Amino acid sequence: MTELFHKLPRNVITIFSGRNLLYHAVAIILTMIIVMSGFDWSYYVSTRGDAFIRFARPAIRLGTIMPLLSILILLIVGEASKNRRIITTAWALGQAALLGYCISCCYKAFTGRIPPPFRGFRMSNIQSPFYQCSRFCIFVF
């Protein structure tokens, strides 16, 4: 389990340095444009129909479970075959997933992008005040 945090500080610094900073800036600006233009809300509303949800449900489920399942499979295969390279790859993928989630949640707090609703929680137009997003991300962490 400690391998999940191997070189974590160095990797975080790498994520926020050099050319990667430009990528972050572009992603933030594009997200703000998409949210403020209303395209984000239009897309959300257009994908709420029963036919779309039935069609997309398998992709949503696979997209949710496959990243975690693939890491677990790699760990099992690596341990069974005593292949250090596969084990290291699995932990590196786990760290990347964790860092990606944390960065995404933090950026959503600052750009006004709210994550999809949970069961029983109805959402209005997602162009709501940014503080609601930051409160949600604090709750998640």
Side-chain angles (χ1 to χ4, degrees):
M1 182 68 152
T2 59
E3 292 173 326
L4 178 64
F5 302 105
H6 182 68
K7 297 183 182 179
L8 182 65
R10 189 185 95 192
N11 291 337
V12 170
I13 290 169
T14 301
I15 289 170
F16 292 103
S17 63
R19 185 182 298 165
N20 292 334
L21 277 179
L22 176 64
Y23 298 143
H24 287 276
V26 169
I28 290 169
I29 291 167
L30 287 175
T31 300
M32 290 177 73
I33 289 170
I34 289 169
V35 170
M36 290 178 178
S37 71
F39 177 76
D40 198 38
W41 180 249
S42 298
Y43 176 80
Y44 174 80
V45 169
S46 69
T47 59
R48 298 304 100 188
D50 288 336
F52 180 83
I53 290 174
R54 262 188 265 120
F55 179 71
R57 185 168 284 132
I60 292 168
R61 287 188 176 152
L62 282 174
T64 301
I65 196 166
M66 282 309 291
L68 298 174
L69 189 61
S70 62
I71 293 168
L72 183 60
I73 290 170
L74 280 174
L75 279 173
I76 292 169
V77 168
E79 288 292 337
S81 65
K82 303 293 184 209
N83 188 327
R84 194 80 202 131
R85 183 177 232 163
I86 294 175
I87 295 170
T88 302
T89 300
W91 286 116
L93 287 172
Q95 187 181 95
L98 180 64
L99 288 172
Y101 174 77
C102 292
I103 291 168
S104 173
C105 193
C106 289
Y107 280 176
K108 286 177 183 181
F110 293 110
T111 60
R113 178 76 163 73
I114 297 174
F118 293 106
R119 282 190 193 133
F121 176 74
R122 297 292 296 171
M123 187 169 76
S124 60
N125 188 334
I126 59 176
Q127 297 179 44
S128 59
F130 292 174
Y131 73 90
Q132 289 181 359
C133 249
S134 59
R135 284 184 12 207
F136 174 80
C137 284
I138 290 168
F139 170 75
V140 169
F141 287 117

